[in-house]
């Protein structure tokens, strides 16, 4: 009788437990910034379930946040596990293009601190697919404004240069 109860208990433990997806976010943070003539913004992904968004242009700059569902977080983590950021060079620049779309991808991990700047259409298709999927995820979320200061890294390469100061009036 004891053996039967023990076998049933072990069977229930082995077959009754559902394995939960625990795929970890592969980076400490990932920031995707985009710039074109109409807008400049950044999306920040971290190990938490919070996604941050910053609109830099049109003015005024403003920060937002949204909460990612657990299912979306698992899907995102699995997708980003395949991104080997180290295989890409730091610049993809179309010299014949004066305006157009630019992207800045900043990835921070334990032993990696990588920037990839893309201007034009010279980057590998795989990078554009990652960028498109991150933007699509952002579009599906409902962002809430926040006054919280959020570090989006060094955006100087994607932000426009400030205008010159107005001329001084002579007395």
């Amino acid at each position: 009788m004891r053996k039967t109860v023990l076998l049933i208990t072990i069977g229930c433990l082995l077959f009754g437990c559902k394995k939960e997806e625990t795929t970890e976010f592969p980076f400490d943070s990932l920031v995707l910034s985009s710039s074109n003539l109409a807008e400049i913004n950044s999306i920040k992904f971290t190990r938490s379930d919070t996604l941050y968004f910053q609109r830099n242009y049109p003015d005024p700059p403003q920060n937002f946040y949204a909460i990612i569902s657990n299912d979306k977080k698992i899907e995102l983590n699995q997708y980003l596990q395949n991104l080997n950021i180290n295989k890409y060079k730091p610049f993809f620049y179309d010299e014949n293009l004066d305006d157009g779309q630019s992207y800045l991808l900043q990835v921070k991990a334990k032993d990696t601190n990588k920037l990839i700047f893309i201007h034009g259409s010279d980057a590998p298709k795989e990078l554009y697919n990652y960028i498109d999927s991150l933007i699509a995820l952002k579009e599906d979320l409902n962002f809430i404004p926040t006054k919280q200061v959020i570090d989006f890294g060094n955006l100087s390469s994607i932000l426009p240069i400030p205008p010159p100061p107005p001329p001084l009036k002579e007395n």
Side-chain angles (χ1 to χ4, degrees), residues 127-144:
L127 271 178
Y128 289 112
N129 290 341
Y130 277 107
I131 289 168
D132 291 344
S133 68
L134 297 177
I135 292 171
L137 174 62
K138 175 204 150 262
E139 297 299 325
D140 287 343
L141 297 172
N142 186 18
F143 284 88
I144 301 165

Side-chain angles (χ1 to χ4, degrees), residues 1-14:
M1 179 70 173
R2 282 183 158 178
K3 288 182 181 181
T4 305
V5 171
L6 182 61
L7 287 174
I8 291 173
T9 304
I10 291 173
C12 287
L13 288 174
L14 290 176

Side-chain angles (χ1 to χ4, degrees), residues 152-164:
F152 284 89
N154 183 355
L155 300 177
S156 63
S157 62
I158 203 142
L159 294 176
I161 59 172

Side-chain angles (χ1 to χ4, degrees), residues 80-137:
L80 291 176
Q81 290 288 333
N82 297 322
L83 179 61
N84 180 2
I85 200 75
N86 293 320
K87 76 178 185 179
Y88 299 107
K89 62 184 183 178
F91 293 101
F92 296 95
Y93 193 82
D94 186 346
E95 293 178 14
N96 299 319
L97 186 64
D98 288 333
D99 56 9
Q101 187 71 45
S102 296
Y103 298 104
L104 177 63
L105 192 60
Q106 302 178 68
V107 177
K108 291 183 183 178
K110 291 177 246 166
D111 53 351
T112 304
N113 204 4
K114 177 99 179 197
L115 296 174
I116 298 175
F117 180 77
I118 301 169
H119 182 70
S121 58
D122 288 342
K125 185 164 178 56
E126 181 184 28
L127 271 178
Y128 289 112
N129 290 341
Y130 277 107
I131 289 168
D132 291 344
S133 68
L134 297 177
I135 292 171
L137 174 62

Side-chain angles (χ1 to χ4, degrees), residues 50-67:
T50 306
L51 177 68
Y52 299 100
F53 173 67
Q54 182 179 67
R55 183 188 66 223
N56 289 302
Y57 179 81
D59 289 335
Q62 192 171 5
N63 290 333
F64 303 86
Y65 75 94
I67 305 299

